[in-house]
Amino acid sequence: MDHTAKPFDPTALPYTLPEEALDILSNARSVTLGENVEQLNKLAVANPDESGWHEVAYDVPGKGKVVEAKACRVKNGIAANYIDPYMRRRDPDCMVIGDEKPTDKPTFQQRFGTSFDSMRAETLEWMKTQDLMMFPFLAGVEDKGTGAIVIAPANAGFFALGLALLQGILANDEIPEGFSPKAVIYVAPPFRHTHLDGKQVVVHNRLDNKHELFAYNLYPGPSAKKGIYGVLLNIGEQEKWVTMHCATAKVVTPYEQSIVISHEGASGGGKSEMLEPVHRQTDNTLKMGENIVSGETRSLSLPSSCNIIPVTDDMALCYPPAEGGSGKLTVADAEDAWFVRVNHINKYGVDPHLERLTVTPEKPLLFLNIDAQPGSTALIWEHIEDEPGKPCPNPRVIVPRDTVPNIHTGKTNVDIRSFGVRCPPCTKEDPTYGILGIFHLLPPSLAWLWRLVAPRGHANPSIVDTGGMASEGVGSYWPFATGRRVDQANLLLEQIINSPAVRYVLIPNQHIGSWEMGFIPQWITRELLARRGGAHFKRSQLEDSRCPLLGWNPKSIMIEGRPVGSWFFSVEKQPEVGIEAYEKGAEILKQFFHREISQFLQDDLHPLGREIIECCLNGGSVDDYAKLIDHQSLLAED
């Protein structure tokens, strides 16, 4: 189908549009109906200049022409770059609520001093003056989710392409029976400058019969991706299910034993990295890390790695525990593509798997914040600069999941839920919360607390960071939720209670005490737990972490007959750290937990949740936590 706009004919659609959407499309200057990704690839660069760049610009009252982004066709897809460096990653404060339903999030009224009704009406009227494009899609999957449509300026084809890759696009002959759009995305970039102080803002307007999402910027993170996440969380809140913020992998050992791990955490917590093969040095060893004080380096010989079968990359729809008495959690991918951050790939050869997938893809991809020219090949290690000598920390590529080799399609049962934390270095001279060992085993109640506080962590590359130790919020998906945090806390606790066969681990990345380690801790943990057939340990194999919030840590670990030093698990044993610096780091963690969990002590908090929080506030031990949800997390002694 050609990308040329045609007169809008609602009778050509095999579904009924919401009233406001019908009014906009019937009165717009022109309308392009999206049918497939190939069409949107053309729309993304519909009007290139002589050099091959398609400019995404708008006339803004009081400012004149404002160029939001530029897009070009490259050999392996479409490359788009934002003019304003601020727009190249998600602002953590981008969400506001436009309605009056129960919420703990900032409302439009609170933030801007006026009702959203007026701006909503202005937005809908502005859209009638534009050349528009529209297409339907399914938010989630058929048995969990809802029908949805997007209406956006036609010149923002790259944004529409990103949404279609991430969430899918339905041609008329693919519309399922009974399809009825209950979610609508309206895209109106100029209002960022005229009404919103230049900030990224996405307004969620939860009406009785539909969920409106007003995207006032063109970065897909807060809208095309996380905005739809918010829609799913809102539906799940009503229907009592959760969309987890996690990457899920089936890990198959060289001996054909397998486990399934779901790795949760805030942005930068290692979700995408859980799906990557172990990064090796030229001699095939694994670089454990480098001591930032002494300069010492350590390597580990691991002749063969596990095979990784990806299941989910970021958003996992959760089902009740698997039938048949297994007591495991069941998940399925909520998306059609993966929004992969590649800031850690800064030269050729760092990740041959992803490099091969993106340099010569089966289908055209969408690259964001990648330094590419029209007609070139976009390379994921060539990052645009925010300023001279300062690469953008959030380069991205959208990879359709059906192009990922060996991917698992459909539901799968989870054996282990891990939680990732970005940690700063911790030394005697500069004590911090970077006291986590390579991994810790958590009792279920303590695993729930970590999901309440969800540390955003050190040097987060995905968002506009404000520094210090901050929380991403309950589930690590709280930035995308529209309701009340206590409701999400209760859902997560019920989920844990109802999944007695699931085990829980805590895994840091970037630093272990004074050692800079990147994502090696989670790759080593993945290899070890898969070889053990799960997170199965006897009490005699573990010791209480010096900080009770860290649960248990192994006394000693062997991988393929090769020992891993105990100071990588008990950080206080590192001479560059010691007990005094460790205790200061533990106090930072304790104060952070106390501050964050106290806000959940509301009247309708689950009674068991109240017990767990009070246990923490009263300085409970690891054994105290273990007794609160007795899922027999540890193996019986012989």
Side-chain angles (χ1 to χ4, degrees):
M1 176 179 174
D2 188 75
H3 64 258
T4 304
K6 299 177 180 178
F8 178 65
D9 178 12
T11 64
L13 302 178
Y15 53 91
T16 301
L17 289 167
E19 180 180 348
E20 296 88 349
L22 177 60
D23 183 39
I24 289 171
L25 296 171
S26 298
N27 291 282
R29 194 158 57 193
S30 68
V31 178
T32 298
L33 296 178
E35 291 268 351
N36 51 54
V37 168
E38 292 73 24
Q39 175 199 10
L40 298 181
N41 266 290
K42 295 178 182 178
L43 194 66
V45 289
N47 297 297
D49 60 20
E50 292 181 356
S51 61
W53 286 102
H54 169 92
E55 198 174 67
V56 184
Y58 302 93
D59 291 324
V60 177
K63 288 181 174 288
K65 178 182 174 181
V66 174
V67 181
E68 292 283 353
K70 295 170 67 177
C72 70
R73 185 175 306 284
V74 291
K75 292 178 181 177
N76 44 347
I78 301 293
N81 286 309
Y82 301 91
I83 306 305
D84 183 355
Y86 163 73
M87 289 303 304
R88 295 172 185 166
R89 48 183 174 165
R90 175 174 59 85
D91 187 326
D93 298 321
C94 63
M95 175 188 280
V96 294
I97 305 301
D99 56 73
E100 297 181 355
K101 294 183 182 296
T103 184
D104 289 332
K105 288 299 181 65
T107 66
F108 193 90
Q109 177 78 48
Q110 291 168 336
R111 182 166 172 182
F112 297 104
T114 184
S115 165
F116 179 61
D117 292 346
S118 175
M119 186 168 167
R120 177 180 181 272
E122 285 186 63
T123 304
L124 300 180
E125 286 301 313
W126 175 84
M127 298 196 80
K128 294 178 185 179
T129 69
Q130 302 298 304
D131 296 302
L132 301 175
M133 61 81 51
M134 185 276 285
F135 67 81
F137 62 97
L138 191 64
V141 297
E142 284 196 41
D143 60 342
K144 281 189 185 293
T146 188
I149 61 170
V150 60
I151 303 176
N155 71 341
F158 83 92
F159 176 91
L161 173 63
L163 174 63
L165 290 173
L166 287 165
Q167 310 298 344
I169 180 172
L170 296 171
N172 276 353
D173 59 359
E174 297 173 330
I175 300 293
E177 185 177 352
F179 181 84
S180 177
K182 299 298 184 186
V184 185
I185 302 178
Y186 298 106
V187 184
F191 286 76
R192 176 168 79 93
H193 305 284
T194 57
H195 293 65
L196 305 170
D197 303 321
K199 298 297 185 181
Q200 291 180 30
V201 172
V202 174
V203 181
H204 287 255
N205 197 37
R206 302 165 297 170
L207 305 178
D208 290 338
N209 60 346
K210 63 179 174 291
H211 190 134
E212 295 179 336
L213 195 155
F214 289 82
Y216 293 113
N217 66 86
L218 292 176
Y219 181 59
S223 50
K225 183 170 175 61
K226 303 306 188 184
I228 294 301
Y229 200 163
V231 171
L232 293 174
L233 289 170
N234 185 48
I235 296 171
E237 189 174 303
Q238 299 168 39
E239 299 180 0
K240 306 304 179 187
W241 48 267
V242 170
T243 302
M244 279 167 43
H245 194 205
C246 68
T248 305
K250 184 177 182 180
V251 187
V252 184
T253 72
Y255 321 111
E256 299 184 359
Q257 188 173 21
S258 67
I259 61 170
V260 175
I261 301 178
S262 279
H263 185 71
E264 303 162 69
S267 297
K271 293 184 293 297
S272 293
E273 287 78 9
M274 183 57 80
L275 304 180
E276 292 182 12
V278 173
H279 291 191
R280 293 181 178 271
Q281 301 182 99
T282 54
D283 64 358
N284 207 41
T285 61
L286 279 59
K287 182 180 179 180
M288 288 283 291
E290 180 175 349
N291 191 298
I292 65 168
V293 177
S294 68
E296 178 187 2
T297 61
R298 291 267 174 153
S299 297
L300 177 69
S301 176
L302 188 68
S304 57
S305 303
C306 293
N307 183 32
I308 308 302
I309 299 175
V311 181
T312 75
D313 172 69
D314 187 66
M315 293 162 51
L317 294 164
C318 297
Y319 295 79
E323 297 178 1
S326 73
K328 296 180 181 179
L329 183 66
T330 302
V331 301
D333 203 337
E335 300 181 286
D336 278 18
W338 295 348
F339 195 45
V340 183
R341 189 184 67 253
V342 292
N343 66 302
H344 62 296
I345 301 176
N346 55 12
K347 60 183 177 181
Y348 171 74
V350 171
D351 187 345
H353 168 72
L354 189 57
E355 291 163 18
R356 182 170 58 252
L357 204 60
T358 57
V359 171
T360 56
E362 294 178 15
K363 300 177 180 178
L365 309 179
L366 178 61
F367 300 86
L368 300 174
N369 305 329
I370 296 294
D371 189 3
Q373 298 300 315
S376 69
T377 299
L379 304 173
I380 57 176
W381 56 89
E382 296 283 355
H383 308 155
I384 196 171
E385 293 188 335
D386 282 356
E387 58 187 64
K390 184 179 179 181
C392 171
N394 191 39
R396 296 274 183 167
V397 58
I398 300 180
V399 180
R401 75 186 310 277
D402 61 6
T403 67
V404 179
N406 302 319
I407 196 163
H408 175 90
T409 300
K411 303 175 184 178
T412 194
N413 297 332
V414 175
D415 300 295
I416 299 170
R417 290 175 66 176
S418 58
F419 197 90
V421 183
R422 294 181 72 90
C423 285
C426 177
T427 62
K428 291 177 178 177
E429 293 74 23
D430 186 15
T432 70
Y433 62 91
I435 59 171
L436 280 66
I438 285 181
F439 76 88
H440 297 265
L441 192 68
L442 299 178
S445 60
L446 195 49
W448 179 67
L449 283 185
W450 274 95
R451 283 157 180 79
L452 295 193
V453 302
R456 185 174 294 156
H458 169 71
N460 191 316
S462 298
I463 61 173
V464 179
D465 203 352
T466 55
M469 192 173 190
S471 170
E472 192 86 329
V474 57
S476 81
Y477 55 67
W478 177 243
F480 329 125
T482 57
R484 302 189 314 147
R485 56 175 61 86
V486 70
D487 294 329
Q488 293 298 327
N490 287 339
L491 286 173
L492 286 171
L493 183 56
E494 290 285 356
Q495 185 186 62
I496 288 173
I497 292 170
N498 294 328
S499 307
V502 177
R503 297 294 173 259
Y504 301 89
V505 295
L506 181 68
I507 310 175
N509 65 66
Q510 304 313 308
H511 297 89
I512 304 290
S514 62
W515 287 79
E516 184 177 359
M517 301 185 73
F519 292 97
I520 277 289
Q522 69 186 50
W523 292 329
I524 288 178
T525 301
R526 184 181 68 188
E527 295 287 328
L528 172 70
L529 298 183
R531 283 165 167 79
R532 295 180 67 96
H536 303 308
F537 292 88
K538 298 176 182 178
R539 186 68 180 85
S540 59
Q541 296 173 309
L542 304 169
E543 58 187 9
D544 291 357
S545 297
R546 192 175 186 91
C547 172
L549 295 172
L550 302 183
W552 300 290
N553 51 269
K555 291 180 178 177
S556 62
I557 286 295
M558 300 277 286
I559 303 180
E560 298 284 8
R562 295 162 179 83
V564 178
S566 62
W567 57 89
F568 285 123
F569 295 94
S570 301
V571 171
E572 70 274 17
K573 295 180 181 179
Q574 295 180 19
E576 298 84 2
V577 180
I579 292 176
E580 183 178 351
Y582 181 100
E583 293 292 350
K584 290 180 179 179
E587 182 64 22
I588 293 172
L589 267 182
K590 186 181 82 170
Q591 294 302 324
F592 171 70
F593 265 71
H594 287 191
R595 181 180 76 240
E596 294 299 326
I597 63 178
S598 295
Q599 61 191 323
F600 292 94
L601 290 172
Q602 300 183 27
D603 291 342
D604 47 356
L605 176 67
H606 193 295
L608 177 57
R610 182 174 296 275
E611 285 188 65
I612 296 170
I613 288 176
E614 290 174 350
C615 177
C616 180
L617 295 175
N618 293 328
S621 68
V622 183
D623 286 341
D624 291 333
Y625 288 115
K627 293 173 185 174
L628 288 169
I629 302 178
D630 185 12
H631 281 177
Q632 299 182 343
S633 300
L634 305 180
L635 295 177
E637 300 289 344
D638 294 334

